[in-house]
Amino acid sequence: MVISHPPPYQPDWALFADLDGTLVDFSPDPDQVKASPELNTLLARLYHASCGALVLVSGRSIASLERVVALNGIAVSGQHGVERRRVDGTLEVSHEIPSARLATLQRDLEAFCADHPGLLLEKKGVTMPAST
């Protein structure tokens, strides 16, 4: 269902919206997901109606979110909150995993996925979920 007109914004509201499985359908290939023009228009309208109190949250990285949806200044939380970008563009990363540890983990997960056909390893940064 697409809402053509958002409800009137109340000053004490903030809107948090998840992307995959909520605003867009899940896909066997997450890199192929694109927001519809209607969704981009709706998000822009919600952003303006809420005076900027709109946040997109996702397990995706912020870079991946930018490829899917027109953010146009919308605050975002990526990688399940590991990275956050405010409306003013300030980027915060809650923690980094040492690159050697991350590389070892990635190799192990790639080997596991190779041994289990149908699994896809999504490399999102410090998060790497495997899905079918």
Side-chain angles (χ1 to χ4, degrees), residues 69-88:
V69 67
L71 295 175
N72 300 321
I74 296 171
V76 292
S77 172
Q79 297 189 65
H80 304 287
V82 170
E83 54 182 8
R84 297 164 308 282
R85 188 172 66 205
R86 297 177 184 199
V87 174
D88 68 5

Side-chain angles (χ1 to χ4, degrees), residues 78-131:
Q79 297 189 65
H80 304 287
V82 170
E83 54 182 8
R84 297 164 308 282
R85 188 172 66 205
R86 297 177 184 199
V87 174
D88 68 5
T90 304
L91 181 65
E92 298 176 7
V93 178
S94 61
H95 65 277
E96 297 285 338
I97 294 177
S99 60
R101 287 179 51 205
L102 186 61
T104 299
L105 176 61
Q106 182 174 323
R107 280 192 305 274
D108 291 347
L109 288 171
E110 287 171 339
F112 181 83
C113 288
D115 290 341
H116 295 83
L119 284 180
L120 170 69
L121 179 64
E122 292 182 66
K123 300 169 201 162
K124 299 178 178 186
V126 298
T127 60
M128 289 182 285
S131 60

Side-chain angles (χ1 to χ4, degrees), residues 43-85:
L43 290 172
R45 292 176 72 188
L46 286 170
Y47 175 80
H48 292 291
S50 68
C51 300
L54 171 64
V55 181
L56 283 183
V57 297
S58 181
R60 292 174 177 266
S61 67
I62 290 174
S64 177
L65 280 167
E66 289 174 326
R67 289 189 297 271
V68 174
V69 67
L71 295 175
N72 300 321
I74 296 171
V76 292
S77 172
Q79 297 189 65
H80 304 287
V82 170
E83 54 182 8
R84 297 164 308 282
R85 188 172 66 205

